[in-house]
Amino acid sequence: MSDLEANPQEALCESSGRPGRRAERFPAREVPLGGVRGVTVFRTLPQRDLPTVGAWCFLDNFGSGSTARPHGSDIDPHPHIGLQTVTWPLNGRIRHRDSVGSDVEIWPGQLNIMTAGGGIAHSEYRVPDHESGAGLQLWIALPGETAAIPPHFEQHRELPEFKRDGLRGTVLIGSLDGQTSPATAYTPIVGADLRVDAGTAVTLPLNPDFEHAILVIEGELTADGHTAAPGSLFYLGSDRAELPITSTAGAHALLIGGEPFDEDLVMWWNFVARSHEEIEAARNDWEAHDLTRFPDIAGHTPDQRIPAPPLPPLHLKPRKRRCGVPHE
Ligand code: MN
């Protein structure tokens, strides 16, 4: 997935301390990705007042939900730096190819995680003759000491699951309810797919040092007495050792969390960095077709590369979290 927004703005995401217990909804932003297909994705991270949840810094839902059009589109070669991409398909199949030689198909229930480090390029194409691909695309910011490590790619076809009282969880990354994902993490983080049966009342153990948020993909659930439904990211803050979840009609959701990320980040287009200069250098290297940093992807021709959008004039907008009294 590439951020295909025509004029992405540069944002400085300032770090914050431990947020405490919260219950706050952050509505999805509809982002038209342009192009002939007129595709819209629903973006719930970053938000002006919630730039990150743990090290999770980007969350797009494409092609799922009643108002979303099927994505069904192919994402041509594009670069990333300073982050891990997490691809979690909900239906269909996606073919992933990258500049470290990967060429794999991913199915729902399987995880692709790509560590960009100092630089990587990849493409993601829908596999023809399957349901048009809906899915989630997330990015995890790499901490400073690993931001420029050599790029690498992992696919995990088997992920650990846990079950308790009407809830079935699949751990994408990190640990939850005693189960640990094999995916490589560079910060204390968790991500899990949750299937909640109709009529469930269950308590999910959480790491109280982490902040957490829930994205409901389908259905509806109640977390700690607050209703969460598709269309928003439901932010829970930190200091929760357990989370009571109930659902009348059943739900499919994603739980994300992690230790609050304590570094300032500059995010622009497909890059996560620490400064405008780093972003500018990565953009220049991509535009100059620097094969040292962004090698070609086998099977693609250079004219398929997505050109970088124009870099906006230097304008770092601090993104501070709101502080104060939790509402609701
Ligand atoms: Mn991408």
Side-chain angles (χ1 to χ4, degrees):
M1 186 72 178
S2 170
D3 180 356
L4 296 176
E5 218 176 335
N7 289 296
Q9 296 301 300
E10 191 173 60
L12 172 64
C13 304
E14 296 195 333
S15 65
S16 62
R18 189 162 159 153
R21 193 179 281 217
R22 307 280 285 270
E24 204 170 335
R25 290 184 194 86
F26 289 87
R29 192 160 64 95
E30 284 189 38
V31 181
L33 296 186
V36 288
R37 299 173 193 89
V39 170
T40 297
V41 301
F42 293 84
R43 184 163 301 163
T44 42
L45 279 180
Q47 299 257 354
R48 193 189 52 167
D49 297 317
L50 188 69
T52 52
V53 175
W56 297 103
C57 62
F58 184 92
L59 172 47
D60 265 2
N61 183 352
F62 52 94
S64 126
S66 55
T67 54
R69 272 178 282 184
H71 190 248
S73 70
D74 299 332
I75 307 294
D76 284 323
H78 61 277
H80 288 288
I81 66 162
L83 56 83
Q84 292 177 290
T85 64
V86 170
T87 305
W88 186 244
L90 299 172
N91 63 40
R93 297 180 187 179
I94 298 168
R95 180 183 181 187
H96 163 97
R97 282 175 281 179
D98 64 36
S99 55
V100 295
S102 318
D103 183 354
V104 295
E105 238 182 55
I106 183 179
W107 297 21
Q110 302 175 346
L111 179 76
N112 275 3
I113 180 162
M114 183 180 79
T115 303
I120 198 167
H122 75 143
S123 68
E124 286 174 302
Y125 280 29
R126 182 173 59 93
V127 177
D129 304 324
H130 290 278
E131 284 177 276
S132 61
L136 304 178
Q137 166 82 198
L138 300 100
W139 297 352
I140 301 169
L142 289 169
E145 67 273 16
T146 61
I149 57 173
H152 58 99
F153 175 80
E154 295 168 33
Q155 182 172 69
H156 299 286
R157 292 176 179 268
E158 303 284 337
L159 292 166
E161 292 191 350
F162 62 88
K163 281 180 185 166
R164 59 164 70 203
D165 303 335
L167 184 150
R168 180 163 52 92
T170 305
V171 186
L172 279 55
I173 190 166
S175 299
L176 193 64
D177 203 11
Q179 298 296 317
T180 299
S181 163
T184 305
Y186 294 92
T187 52
I189 196 163
V190 69
D193 183 275
L194 305 179
R195 301 269 182 177
V196 188
D197 294 340
T200 291
V202 65
T203 298
L204 187 64
L206 297 180
N207 181 340
D209 295 333
F210 283 11
E211 56 181 343
H212 292 92
I214 289 178
L215 180 78
V216 173
I217 298 159
E218 259 185 281
E220 196 171 276
L221 60 78
T222 300
D224 193 21
H226 305 276
T227 303
S232 306
L233 184 68
F234 185 59
Y235 179 64
L236 296 158
S238 61
D239 299 277
R240 293 178 185 274
E242 47 185 35
L243 182 68
I245 293 174
T246 62
S247 180
T248 308
H252 180 200
L254 180 82
L255 174 80
I256 56 172
E259 215 166 73
F261 199 74
D262 63 359
E263 298 176 38
D264 295 345
L265 297 173
V266 183
M267 291 177 61
W268 178 79
W269 194 40
N270 295 309
F271 304 141
V272 172
R274 303 292 179 289
S275 69
H276 176 83
E277 289 70 27
E278 267 183 79
I279 296 277
E280 196 172 31
R283 184 190 182 280
N284 289 344
D285 289 343
W286 177 250
E287 289 300 285
H289 203 168
D290 180 337
L291 296 174
T292 312
R293 187 168 198 179
F294 301 114
D296 280 335
I297 305 169
H300 285 294
T301 53
D303 63 303
Q304 290 180 298
R305 301 161 86 256
I306 297 178
L311 196 61
L314 180 58
H315 182 64
L316 300 178
K317 243 184 167 176
R319 284 188 170 183
K320 294 189 179 185
R321 289 162 188 269
R322 274 178 289 177
C323 295
V325 188
H327 63 261
E328 290 191 300

